[in-house]
């Protein structure tokens, strides 16, 4: 199988969502030629608004290579939303359970079957005060090194201006523009055929995040910071200042789905 067909449910979702997206936001999409026409691949995308999945899915739907997102398992429970999630082939993420590795296996299988799996490597909306990508979870690197599929870095900006992070009130005026810049595949050759230690996975993930940050800098007309914001380090610093000690445990097995 070289590529996934766009099924009925995906087309129905597009019919419902695209008119709204076209009505509320302009589009400036560049680098489409870097989306592979055939074969399995991974996209690694920055995340700065709850509208990102809809705006980015709109972009990639128009390329003919529909993405399979990794989404939190609770989104599959509501009857209507769950039907769309399952019908469009999205992959449920079960956090901190014995089913946590299912998302990893499903992502690997999808890529090996010639599909696109879209990762938000940060795992949540960025907490960087200036909106830059944070440190990434290592799940995207795990899948990339196991499948050796191309990892396409993608930067997007504009949905966050329409709906700011953690806000529920959109800013419709003046009309915003959703910008997308797709880069060439991340060079991960130096990481292949090596033992996937935590350090190796971290280095590969950092390489992916660095490429995304550079692309976002191009969109914003700014220079991306050399160091990613690390929310775990920030939390630990806050704990120390608040009189507590110790870091929360990090389970990268769960991170495979982020």
């Amino acid at each position: 199988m070289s590529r996934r067909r766009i099924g009925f449910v995906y087309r129905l979702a597009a019919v419902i969502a695209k008119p709204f997206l076209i009505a509320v936001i302009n589009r400036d999409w560049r680098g489409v030629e870097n989306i592979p026409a055939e074969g399995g691949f991974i996209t690694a995308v920055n995340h700065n608004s709850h509208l990102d999945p809809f705006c980015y899915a709109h972009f990639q739907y128009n390329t003919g290579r529909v993405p399979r997102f990794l989404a939190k398992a609770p989104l599959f429970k509501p009857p209507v939303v769950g039907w769309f999630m399952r019908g469009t082939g999205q992959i449920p993420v079960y956090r901190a359970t014995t089913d946590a590795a299912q998302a990893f296996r499903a992502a690997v299988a999808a890529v090996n079957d010639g599909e696109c799996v879209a990762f938000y490597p940060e795992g949540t909306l960025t907490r960087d005060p200036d909106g830059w990508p944070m440190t990434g979870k290592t799940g995207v690197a795990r899948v990339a090194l196991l499948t050796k599929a191309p990892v396409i870095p993608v930067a997007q900006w504009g949905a966050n201006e329409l709906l700011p992070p953690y806000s529920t009130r959109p800013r419709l005026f003046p009309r915003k523009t959703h910008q997308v810049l797709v880069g060439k595949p991340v060079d991960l050759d130096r990481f292949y055929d090596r033992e996937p230690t935590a350090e190796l996975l971290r280095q590969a993930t950092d390489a992916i995040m660095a490429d995304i940050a550079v692309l976002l800098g191009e969109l914003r007309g700014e220079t991306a910071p050399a160091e990613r914001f690390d929310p775990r380090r920030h939390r630990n610093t806050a704990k120390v200042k608040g009189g507590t000690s110790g870091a929360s445990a990090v389970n990268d097995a769960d991170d495979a789905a982020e």
Side-chain angles (χ1 to χ4, degrees):
M1 181 177 179
S2 58
R3 61 187 295 174
R4 183 173 187 245
R5 292 177 177 272
I6 301 177
F8 168 76
V9 179
Y10 226 124
R11 292 187 186 278
L12 178 61
V15 167
I16 295 171
K18 285 177 68 173
F20 169 77
L21 295 171
I22 291 171
V24 300
I25 195 165
N26 295 318
R27 291 159 299 287
D28 177 13
W29 296 340
R30 290 174 275 163
V32 177
E33 67 278 4
N34 292 322
I35 296 291
E38 301 290 340
F41 66 102
I42 296 162
T43 57
V45 194
N46 67 303
H47 195 11
N48 52 24
S49 171
H50 287 302
L51 283 179
D52 284 346
F54 300 98
C55 292
Y56 179 71
H58 183 193
F59 158 75
Q60 199 168 319
Y61 180 91
N62 280 21
T63 72
R65 299 302 310 272
V66 294
R68 291 184 65 181
F69 289 96
L70 290 98
K72 296 176 182 179
L75 291 174
F76 291 76
K77 292 182 178 179
V80 176
V81 174
W83 182 79
F84 273 104
M85 296 293 285
R86 290 186 293 273
T88 54
Q90 309 314 312
I91 300 172
V93 177
Y94 302 92
R95 295 176 183 269
T97 73
T98 56
D99 296 326
Q102 287 185 11
F104 173 76
R105 292 192 292 268
V108 169
V111 172
N112 285 336
D113 284 345
E115 300 186 43
C116 168
V117 174
F119 278 84
Y120 288 118
E122 297 159 276
T124 186
L125 296 179
T126 183
R127 293 188 175 91
D128 182 281
D130 297 316
W132 294 102
M134 302 188 295
T135 53
K137 307 290 187 178
T138 60
V140 63
R142 290 175 185 271
V143 176
L145 298 186
L146 188 60
T147 63
K148 295 185 179 179
V151 177
I152 310 299
V154 182
Q156 60 179 343
W157 190 257
N160 55 301
E161 296 177 336
L162 175 60
L163 185 66
Y166 304 103
S167 174
T168 58
R169 183 173 299 178
R171 299 173 180 173
L172 297 175
F173 303 103
R175 188 180 175 88
K176 310 303 189 295
T177 298
H178 180 231
Q179 298 176 275
V180 173
L181 181 57
V182 183
K184 295 185 181 299
V186 181
D187 182 4
L188 298 176
D189 288 353
R190 64 190 181 279
F191 302 111
Y192 292 148
D193 301 319
R194 296 170 59 185
E195 182 181 356
T197 62
E199 179 61 24
L200 183 79
L201 292 170
R202 171 50 49 200
Q203 291 176 8
T205 303
D206 289 347
I208 294 169
M209 298 309 299
D211 280 13
I212 297 172
V214 169
L215 293 171
L216 184 58
E218 291 185 41
L219 286 182
R220 295 174 56 172
E222 304 173 38
T223 301
E227 185 175 349
R228 309 278 81 76
F229 178 85
D230 187 341
R232 291 173 299 182
R233 186 182 305 167
H234 182 77
R235 284 197 300 269
N236 293 339
T237 300
K239 287 180 181 179
V240 172
K241 289 182 178 179
T244 60
S245 61
S248 58
V250 178
N251 185 349
D252 267 346
D254 290 347
D255 293 347
E258 298 186 80

